[in-house]
Amino acid sequence: MKRLSRDVAIIGAGMSKYGMAGNRITTRDLFIEAYQDALQSVGKGIDPKQIEALYIGNATSDLFEHQLHTGPIMANWSGLIPRPAVRIEDACASSGVAFREAVMSIASGIYDVVLAGGTEKMTNLPTPEVTEVLAYALDGVSEFPSGFTFPGVYAAMCTAHMAKWGTSAEDLMRVAIKSHNNAALNPKAHFNMDIKDIMRDRQEKAAKEGKNYSWKFEMDFLSDSTQNPVVAWPLRLFDCSTICDGASCVLLAAADVTSNFTDDPIYILGTGQASEYPLHQRKELSSIMATKNAAGQAYEMAGIKPKDIKIAEVHDCFTIAEIIALEDLGFFNPGEATSDINEGVTKRTGRLPINTGGGLKAKGHPVGATGTGQVYEIWKQMTGKAGPRQVVGRDLDFGLTHNVGAHGTTVAVHIFGKK
Amino acid sequence: MKRLSRDVAIIGAGMSKYGMAGNRITTRDLFIEAYQDALQSVGKGIDPKQIEALYIGNATSDLFEHQLHTGPIMANWSGLIPRPAVRIEDACASSGVAFREAVMSIASGIYDVVLAGGTEKMTNLPTPEVTEVLAYALDGVSEFPSGFTFPGVYAAMCTAHMAKWGTSAEDLMRVAIKSHNNAALNPKAHFNMDIKDIMRDRQEKAAKEGKNYSWKFEMDFLSDSTQNPVVAWPLRLFDCSTICDGASCVLLAAADVTSNFTDDPIYILGTGQASEYPLHQRKELSSIMATKNAAGQAYEMAGIKPKDIKIAEVHDCFTIAEIIALEDLGFFNPGEATSDINEGVTKRTGRLPINTGGGLKAKGHPVGATGTGQVYEIWKQMTGKAGPRQVVGRDLDFGLTHNVGAHGTTVAVHIFGKK
């Protein structure tokens, strides 16, 4: 079994507001917001000079901002020149992989204190163009040229899951409702409101335009084809994560120096990463092999089982992705996640709270920022700093993050503990 | 002083032909050529299943091929799914940094055998478009919008060097002549011919077109404004590295398992990386701080001095970059590299052979492939496998590679030894 040569822990984490940042804000501005938040989060304080390297996840700054070589740009903007800076692009798993590289870099003996972060500015372009650019993360030989974009890819996986396990549109909607309810308690979420508030908002706007419509309860709204139109059947608007701007930042240290920075380090007990084929080469569309593989590595390294995990952030780029993830991570049996979700198991107050920050669905999905944004949420929860959305009444001794690149062609899984 | 937690060595390396690959060839095709060459280079053989992860340097596949997420694409094309794959984009230092990450990943304890490579397909687009896209690696706030592209940036550094040290156009040309002479012995080089052959080639073409011109010797040709026009004064055509297609691939293993693969492992004794400001924030343009910084780290870790290095591949994206590198790496005193070059010290037969494969200038500069392409050349030379261009008559006990991203905003330096 593989072990890290040195133990590594989180000493602080930060996040920018996720959402529409406006056209005057750039990738680097977003990162600085997260970076400063992370610096301030370090219990005993940190001198930026102590940070020895930067690992920056970013998927699209070259395409959206004509900015390649994002690593040293972030080093310069944050005042960290001459520290080495690595830009990692693994699509939506960019900062999950950056986090893993940062952990390994400390374990390698080269560094003691390292920054892992991610940043993405996506809202400058119209949605169809963003959708096209993101589709470049599919296989450029077999998938993109055949007309696939991500809603279509996940719709294919969704129909496979429906055919095999009887998953319904209502099952998907319950995932979205739960995520929005969590995001309502997260002031940094893109949609910092629950579904009812969103409905009220839309109703008021419609009334101003002289239109009128009625709604009774959440499910009505979500199945209303005017309010929740089909994007790629069976996925509707509220099954899709948001295109938004944002950044996140985690500070890591070798276990033997964490006491200089904090009294409650959160240790990385396990890390796993795997790759997967494009869709047409897969034998199975209703699960993602790379998730099972990466999670298997992480569980083995941590020496724990799925049932030991008390809280997790999973990659819900679409509602169906969350359902598949919960099964692939071993939290529920294949085909049974939906019944557990329907019983409230994954709610903030349930047995296994999932995506307490709102998930990609409602907290937002600034792609390069998502991986370390998940780590930020788990760190907040495990250190008891999550404010109104804090999970209470139990010891969150083991947490997990699950970050997916594209349609699972990359997956990074991390397991966290208080040691 | 920082040490790697585990020792790491090169067990094999491969390279594609560098040059104009044609429009039917993609980034992934180039990589497979280098990958297969690397597999075959492993003395005792290797089962691909033994490779545990891929680190892929690539700068522009998203912009040139609309292919993001290059890592798992290469894992799939090379039959290495489900192995984790990381794409690193640090401009022209992408695979130098990928190599460093691969070394650290083995030292971390996570892997025993890892692939580090780079690949770039650049010749599909017209040169002006390529030049523009590469300029995205400059600072998108201060440099690119002011009209800078790379020839201009290095021209500014060149005039600074000329003003400070009296460097002349002839000094630059001697670098180019040396590189082409080396490339003439390298069948995988983009320009597998020396300057005289290039002249003869051009003369024959001109004669066919009914034109006529005469030349006496190399310098005449290189200072002829019709044959060697100014690109960005004082840099002329033959001062610039080539836009070309290519890939490279290095196989690495933990020192304790190398004997399974080879009897002549080449150890990584030192690794260093640093970042640097954009031009307008620098106090000095005639040297690159990040080179000094990264080299300092690598020398310290290896426990050797610049004078101990017997062979080096340095980042000569422009002739002036080679001169500056030789000074910043400590091989020659500041301002004195040109006189040493003029005395033949850096020729293949000189005291310190530089860029024996032809360098970025003549071997070629497929940007993402360049870093591991440099490692390939050093590995070939140190293991005595360099064929007609093999440096003979001395023990190449210590080698060095120097890979620059953009105008030195990233630099990665590695030192190699036979142990």
Side-chain angles (χ1 to χ4, degrees), chain A residues 283-318:
Chain A
K283 288 179 185 158
E284 174 63 58
L285 295 186
S286 66
S287 83
I288 292 178
M289 185 184 70
T291 294
K292 294 179 180 177
N293 198 321
Q297 296 166 36
Y299 287 129
E300 187 185 2
M301 188 182 294
I304 65 169
K305 302 279 181 198
K307 67 174 172 48
D308 297 317
I309 300 293
K310 300 299 189 333
I311 185 167
E313 292 280 299
V314 309
H315 196 93
D316 59 321
C317 47
F318 297 90

Side-chain angles (χ1 to χ4, degrees), chain B residues 1-2 100 269-274 288-306 325 327-331 400-402 411-415:
Chain B
M1 197 188 70
K2 296 296 174 65
R100 177 173 157 91
L269 303 184
T271 172
Q273 187 187 337
I288 292 178
M289 184 184 71
T291 294
K292 294 179 181 178
N293 198 321
Q297 297 167 35
Y299 287 128
E300 186 185 4
M301 189 182 295
I304 65 169
K305 302 279 181 199
E327 294 172 354
D328 289 340
L329 291 165
F331 296 145
L400 179 147
T401 58
H402 164 255
V411 174
V413 172
H414 288 91
I415 293 174

Side-chain angles (χ1 to χ4, degrees), chain A residues 2 5 28 52 55 67-69 76 83 87 89 100-101 107-108 111 136 138 140 275 281 410, chain B residues 2 5 28 52 55 67-69 76 83 87 89 100-101 107-108 111 136 138-140 275 281 410:
Chain A
K2 297 295 173 66
S5 303
R28 60 183 86 184
E52 294 169 276
Y55 286 83
Q67 180 68 69
L68 277 157
H69 211 183
N76 185 24
R83 297 312 195 187
R87 180 223 174 167
E89 187 278 301
R100 176 173 158 90
E101 289 301 307
S108 80
Y111 308 124
Y136 297 167
L138 297 169
S275 305
Q281 288 177 265
T410 292
Chain B
K2 296 296 174 65
S5 303
R28 60 183 86 185
E52 295 169 274
Y55 286 83
Q67 181 67 68
L68 277 158
H69 210 182
N76 186 25
R83 298 310 194 188
R87 180 226 174 164
E89 187 279 301
R100 177 173 157 91
E101 289 301 307
S108 80
Y111 309 122
Y136 298 168
L138 297 168
D139 188 330
S275 304
Q281 289 177 265
T410 293

Side-chain angles (χ1 to χ4, degrees), chain B residues 139-307:
Chain B
D139 188 330
V141 169
S142 65
E143 293 176 320
F144 180 69
S146 65
F148 258 134
T149 60
F150 275 102
V153 167
Y154 275 91
M157 295 162 76
C158 190
T159 52
H161 201 275
M162 286 173 155
K164 188 162 184 176
W165 303 112
T167 310
S168 70
E170 286 69 25
D171 293 329
L172 302 179
M173 290 174 195
R174 285 197 182 85
V175 174
I177 292 167
K178 181 267 298 165
S179 295
H180 277 284
N181 286 343
N182 288 343
L185 299 173
N186 183 358
K188 293 193 176 186
H190 185 179
F191 287 106
N192 181 212
M193 49 176 80
D194 65 19
I195 297 271
K196 284 203 179 69
D197 284 335
I198 293 172
M199 285 188 283
R200 202 167 292 122
D201 220 46
R202 290 195 162 212
Q203 206 178 27
E204 284 169 10
K205 275 187 197 149
K208 277 184 196 160
E209 292 166 9
K211 295 172 196 164
N212 188 34
Y213 70 86
S214 65
W215 52 272
K216 289 191 221 96
F217 57 100
E218 289 168 342
M219 282 299 181
D220 269 10
F221 170 75
L222 287 173
S223 59
D224 178 340
S225 63
T226 60
Q227 296 307 312
N228 190 23
V230 167
V231 172
W233 190 90
L235 300 176
R236 291 169 176 264
L237 182 63
F238 274 77
D239 291 305
C240 305
S241 57
T242 79
I243 291 171
C244 75
D245 312 317
S248 56
C249 182
V250 180
L251 294 168
L252 292 157
D256 47 19
V257 302
T258 51
S259 61
N260 298 333
F261 302 104
T262 180
D263 289 328
D264 52 358
I266 298 297
Y267 296 89
I268 292 85
L269 303 184
T271 172
Q273 187 187 337
S275 304
E276 164 61 301
Y277 300 107
L279 281 197
H280 70 283
Q281 289 177 265
R282 297 185 195 178
K283 288 179 185 158
E284 174 60 58
L285 294 186
S286 67
S287 82
I288 292 178
M289 184 184 71
T291 294
K292 294 179 181 178
N293 198 321
Q297 297 167 35
Y299 287 128
E300 186 185 4
M301 189 182 295
I304 65 169
K305 302 279 181 199
K307 66 174 172 49

Side-chain angles (χ1 to χ4, degrees), chain A residues 215-234:
Chain A
W215 50 271
K216 290 192 217 93
F217 57 101
E218 290 168 341
M219 283 298 183
D220 269 10
F221 170 76
L222 288 174
S223 60
D224 178 341
S225 63
T226 60
Q227 297 306 314
N228 190 25
V230 167
V231 172
W233 190 88

Side-chain angles (χ1 to χ4, degrees), chain B residues 372-389:
Chain B
T372 39
Q374 293 176 321
V375 176
Y376 165 87
E377 180 65 17
I378 289 293
W379 173 81
K380 278 271 186 191
Q381 291 283 356
M382 290 182 71
T383 55
K385 297 184 173 77
R389 68 181 185 282

